[in-house]
């Protein structure tokens, strides 16, 4: 295991409420990523981070923001959740050789 | 981004070898070929990667065509635990901005006992 935890693992929330998902690593790796996975789609990159306070957008970043104030934590925030953001969210980090990514267990988010 | 093409599904028998194909005819010279798999209700798991030469690790082997337009992931003896969706992905050679994985729909591998 690459020492990645995600919290919460499951969440149900109402449309319009803010939601923050947390990804925590114990590996001190520089690069971290947030993906979402929906039926009929592969995983799609939302945002990624290449260091503390250094982040950039992925292919489906609209409606999401991220923050990384310390190496071990990468937060994904839905400012005002919508039903289209119902999904499974995976955090990942790059391995020491950069060639591989290690994924967390996922967070299942339902927006009603 | 260069695309990959994989069969939607494949079936194999336990303890037999499995060859999972991937076509990537528009691969660029700097694209690495990565394979990940995703077991049911879990996050993706790194399997193997390569650039030009065939690669082996404890999980699998990766055979890359000489023109690099196709590759094959080889599981030498399939087990029930190998039943998963297998993703073939082209990516850069460094972390961060040059290393964004673009997942397709992958190949669903079923392993029969």
């Amino acid at each position: 295991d690459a020492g990645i935890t995600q919290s919460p693992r499951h969440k149900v929330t109402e449309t319009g409420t803010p939601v923050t998902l947390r990804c925590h690593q114990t590996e001190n790796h520089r690069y971290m990523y947030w993906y979402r996975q929906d039926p009929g789609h592969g995983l799609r990159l939302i945002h990624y981070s290449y260091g503390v306070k250094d982040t950039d957008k992925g292919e489906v970043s609209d409606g999401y923001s991220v923050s990384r104030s310390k190496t071990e934590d990468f937060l994904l925030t839905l400012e005002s959740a919508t039903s289209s953001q119902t999904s499974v969210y995976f955090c990942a980090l790059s391995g020491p050789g950069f060639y591989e990514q290690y994924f967390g267990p996922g967070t299942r988010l339902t927006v009603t | 981004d260069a695309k990959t093409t994989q069969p939607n599904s494949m079936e194999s028998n336990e303890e037999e070898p499995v060859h999972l194909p991937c076509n990537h005819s528009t691969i660029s010279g700097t694209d690495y070929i990565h394979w990940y798999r995703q077991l049911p209700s879990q996050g993706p798991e790194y399997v193997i990667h390569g650039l030009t030469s065939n690669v082996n690790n404890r999980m699998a082997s990766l055979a890359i065509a000489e023109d690099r337009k196709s590759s094959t992931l080889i599981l030498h003896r399939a087990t029930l635990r190998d039943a998963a969706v297998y993703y073939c992905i082209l990516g850069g050679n460094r972390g961060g901005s040059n290393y964004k994985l673009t997942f397709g729909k992958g190949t669903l591998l079923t392993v029969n006992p």
Side-chain angles (χ1 to χ4, degrees):
Chain A
D1 288 345
I4 309 171
T5 57
Q6 292 185 231
S7 59
R9 293 293 314 278
H10 301 270
K11 185 170 182 66
V12 179
T13 191
E14 293 183 350
T15 298
T17 59
V19 176
T20 295
L21 308 182
R22 180 185 184 230
C23 178
H24 179 79
Q25 62 148 324
T26 58
E27 305 297 315
N28 201 35
H29 289 317
R30 181 179 173 188
Y31 296 99
M32 298 183 74
Y33 311 82
W34 277 107
Y35 294 86
R36 61 177 288 176
Q37 186 171 34
D38 305 296
H41 292 89
L43 278 79
R44 292 180 290 175
L45 181 66
I46 304 171
H47 281 279
Y48 64 96
S49 170
Y50 46 97
V52 173
K53 298 185 179 178
D54 291 323
T55 65
D56 206 347
K57 296 178 180 180
E59 65 176 305
V60 290
S61 59
D62 287 348
Y64 302 94
S65 62
V66 290
S67 66
R68 191 156 176 214
S69 59
K70 44 187 179 178
T71 299
E72 57 266 36
D73 288 326
F74 192 30
L75 304 180
L76 177 70
T77 298
L78 291 65
E79 301 290 347
S80 177
T82 68
S83 58
S84 65
Q85 294 175 312
T86 292
S87 188
V88 180
Y89 291 85
F90 289 101
C91 174
L93 53 88
S94 287
F98 295 105
Y99 299 107
E100 63 268 25
Q101 290 185 13
Y102 297 99
F103 286 78
T107 294
R108 182 172 296 276
L109 176 67
T110 302
V111 183
T112 61
Chain B
D1 290 344
K3 302 291 186 190
T4 62
T5 303
Q6 300 178 252
N8 290 332
S9 62
M10 291 184 63
E11 205 167 320
S12 72
N13 296 318
E14 201 174 9
E15 299 188 5
E16 291 184 357
V18 181
H19 291 233
L20 296 163
C22 181
N23 288 319
H24 29 78
S25 58
T26 60
I27 190 170
S28 74
T30 58
D31 280 336
Y32 279 71
I33 302 160
H34 305 267
W35 283 83
Y36 284 74
R37 72 181 186 181
Q38 188 172 20
L39 280 64
S41 301
Q42 295 188 25
E45 175 185 30
Y46 166 80
V47 177
I48 200 167
H49 76 277
L51 184 61
T52 56
S53 303
N54 294 345
V55 184
N56 300 298
N57 66 19
R58 64 174 181 81
M59 290 182 68
S61 295
L62 176 59
I64 301 173
E66 195 168 335
D67 63 5
R68 299 210 326 126
K69 294 186 176 182
S70 66
S71 61
T72 302
L73 180 71
I74 302 166
L75 306 179
H76 295 286
R77 282 182 79 229
T79 68
L80 296 179
R81 194 193 173 278
D82 291 321
V85 177
Y86 286 79
Y87 299 98
C88 170
I89 302 166
L90 303 182
N93 61 344
R94 296 293 295 172
S97 62
N98 196 30
Y99 189 53
K100 289 179 274 189
L101 298 178
T102 301
F103 286 78
K105 296 184 179 180
T107 296
L108 175 63
L109 176 66
T110 301
V111 180
N112 300 314

